[in-house]
Amino acid sequence: MINTNYSNLKANYLFSTVAEKVRAYSEAHPDADVIKLGIGDVTKPLAKSVIEALHKAVDENAVAETFMGYGPEQGYGFLREALAKYYKTLGADVDADEIFVSDGAKSDIANILDIFDKNCHVVIPDPVYPVYLDTNIMDGRQVSFLNANEGNIFLPMPEDLMSDAQPDIIYLCSPNNPTGACYNKEQLKVWVDYANKLGAVILFDSAYEIFADKDGLPRTIFAIDGARTCAIEIASLSKTAGFTGTRCSYTVVPKELVRDGQSLKDMWFRRQSTKFNGTPYIVQRAAEAVFTEQGYAEILENIKLYQTNAKIITDTLDELGIYYTGGHYSPYIWLKCPNNMSSWEFFDFFLEKAQVVGTPGEGFGENGKGFFRLTAFNTPDRTQEAMNRLKEILK
């Protein structure tokens, strides 16, 4: 027998469809100067401190005395301690033994479901990062949605649940992918209190927290009172430090998080020690360098560049009078398609008329229809050129 739940998935993964369309266009127009503001891959290289740590770790593996073989599945102590100290700078107390190092937030978002029953009722925002929905469909879980829209500025609250069924698992992402919207402390407190009241578990994706570095916005759910009894946080160095190809993430499961008499921290440790052999030593040494004083200063320079790109985009949208969310606290800008175009119509229009690639909002859910996502992961010059082209085709 095969897993028939796969037949309930959409035929194609969103980003694969976008890539195929761009490939076909480029083959038909080989001289076209295509600017990509679609898939959220970084463009700046790894920071100097990170590269130095990688080289040092590689050299350690070249001699028997310092060679590193299998490491602990939950991550080396040096990185977990560094992350615990980092959490303190974000206003949260997290112990090193509550942190589990992995090879990507996408993997952990999917794999964390192993510790939950397949009969759990799952609540996911719409629009949403496709992995939340697809991984639950693969397991055959009941899924309902949070209605994120212009009316709530794409920051849905418990009253926006689109089902009367009591949620067991609630996905939240802040700053959000794809909308760029960011919850404040008061809003997250409502969610934490709601989850604790129901005994639900919040799976909190904080992959873009480094962009929410102003106006007192929470950069971890554990800065909210009560979160330690209802939340699991999944974070990543992909955007924080440009590790999209280097691969390193971390998941925090607090000791106080207990359901049905079972520690979810212990369950996750059991799952990881059985199914995961750990993140490479050299990658963890590179990740450790991110959280040194010098390393963090270097990655902030890269983040500032992406924030500059985001401002170029939002300034242009402001000038054109186009509604959007994101950009101010996020590398993502979520805009309403001009002239009442559908998401895919605007995708084709933008590509054909301006040779600029974004992501159709429709691919993120029903509420994404008529919206479009741009990313700030390019150079300022190319981002400005893309916006100049946008103004030209809309004038």
Side-chain angles (χ1 to χ4, degrees):
M1 296 291 290
I2 63 170
N3 185 348
T4 58
N5 292 310
Y6 276 66
S7 63
N8 297 322
L9 294 165
K10 290 183 179 180
N12 295 305
Y13 186 56
L14 168 63
F15 299 109
S16 299
T17 303
V18 169
E20 178 57 28
K21 277 179 165 283
V22 174
R23 183 196 63 76
Y25 178 84
S26 297
E27 286 184 357
H29 305 84
D31 296 328
D33 178 22
V34 177
I35 300 175
K36 296 181 180 179
L37 301 179
I39 294 176
D41 198 356
V42 296
T43 51
K44 293 287 289 180
L46 296 170
K48 180 181 178 182
S49 295
V50 171
I51 292 296
E52 289 174 351
L54 273 171
H55 281 299
K56 182 180 178 182
V58 169
D59 289 340
E60 288 175 2
N61 275 299
V63 294
E65 290 78 9
T66 51
F67 171 76
M68 303 296 290
Y70 287 124
E73 295 91 347
Q74 68 271 36
Y76 284 98
F78 60 79
L79 179 54
R80 298 168 88 196
E81 291 289 349
L83 286 165
K85 291 178 181 177
Y86 178 62
Y87 267 101
K88 287 189 180 297
T89 71
L90 303 182
D93 288 323
V94 171
D95 293 338
D97 66 353
E98 297 173 318
I99 300 170
F100 297 81
V101 179
S102 188
D103 58 1
K106 186 177 182 180
S107 303
D108 280 1
I109 286 167
N111 293 333
I112 197 74
L113 294 172
D114 278 3
I115 69 174
F116 294 102
D117 190 272
K118 286 183 171 54
N119 291 318
C120 284
H121 176 218
V122 179
V123 168
I124 296 173
D126 181 345
V128 69
Y129 181 46
V131 172
Y132 303 165
L133 177 60
D134 288 356
T135 51
N136 279 285
I137 289 176
M138 289 172 180
D139 280 349
R141 287 187 181 83
Q142 178 189 359
V143 176
S144 60
F145 297 94
L146 283 165
N147 189 7
N149 52 49
E150 286 184 71
N152 54 33
I153 321 176
F154 289 94
L155 289 170
M157 299 301 291
E159 61 266 24
D160 296 308
L161 284 165
M162 300 171 68
S163 169
D164 293 331
Q166 178 174 309
D168 299 304
I169 299 172
I170 302 166
Y171 283 81
L172 297 178
C173 177
S174 183
N176 186 267
N177 180 10
T179 70
C182 190
Y183 284 110
N184 61 34
K185 286 186 176 180
E186 291 74 23
Q187 290 168 320
L188 281 185
K189 178 61 174 169
V190 171
W191 273 115
V192 165
D193 290 346
Y194 177 77
N196 276 321
K197 179 180 177 181
L198 296 182
V201 174
I202 296 172
L203 298 183
F204 190 78
D205 183 348
S206 66
Y208 316 100
E209 55 84 8
I210 198 167
F211 290 89
D213 60 345
K214 50 193 171 183
D215 298 335
L217 292 170
R219 293 170 58 182
T220 169
I221 198 166
F222 297 117
I224 309 301
D225 289 341
R228 291 182 60 84
T229 54
C230 71
I232 293 172
E233 181 162 289
I234 299 170
S236 169
L237 294 186
S238 287
K239 306 308 189 294
T240 300
F243 274 48
T244 51
T246 310
R247 312 308 303 145
C248 191
S249 66
Y250 48 96
T251 291
V252 178
V253 189
K255 298 181 182 74
E256 294 93 326
L257 187 53
V258 176
R259 294 293 184 272
D260 297 328
Q262 295 287 321
S263 162
L264 271 64
K265 170 183 170 290
D266 292 347
M267 292 176 68
W268 182 237
F269 173 75
R270 186 67 173 86
R271 189 270 172 205
Q272 291 296 82
S273 60
T274 301
K275 292 188 175 184
F276 183 58
N277 257 344
T279 305
Y281 170 76
I282 62 172
V283 170
Q284 293 192 57
R285 281 298 186 191
E288 179 192 26
V290 169
F291 300 102
T292 63
E293 183 177 353
Q294 180 63 32
Y296 200 69
E298 290 167 0
I299 67 166
L300 285 180
E301 287 302 309
N302 290 347
I303 297 300
K304 287 177 183 176
L305 181 139
Y306 299 136
Q307 289 173 326
T308 296
N309 293 344
K311 189 174 189 303
I312 291 171
I313 295 171
T314 57
D315 284 350
T316 301
L317 298 179
D318 287 336
E319 180 182 341
L320 294 171
I322 295 174
Y323 172 87
Y324 67 91
T325 56
H328 301 295
Y329 313 112
S330 166
Y332 298 115
I333 298 89
W334 179 253
L335 64 100
K336 196 168 189 177
C337 296
N339 303 323
N340 295 314
M341 281 186 270
S342 72
S343 299
W344 284 106
E345 283 175 340
F346 184 62
F347 175 89
D348 291 335
F349 175 76
F350 208 10
L351 178 58
E352 292 170 6
K353 299 297 184 183
Q355 293 76 55
V356 178
V357 178
T359 308
E362 187 174 329
F364 296 101
E366 193 70 19
N367 285 358
K369 290 182 176 179
F371 285 85
F372 201 75
R373 192 193 76 173
L374 296 175
T375 79
F377 297 115
N378 210 306
T379 65
D381 287 348
R382 296 292 278 169
T383 303
Q384 185 64 66
E385 173 61 22
M387 292 302 98
N388 291 342
R389 294 181 191 180
L390 177 62
K391 287 189 282 189
E392 181 66 24
I393 65 174
L394 293 179
K395 70 180 183 180

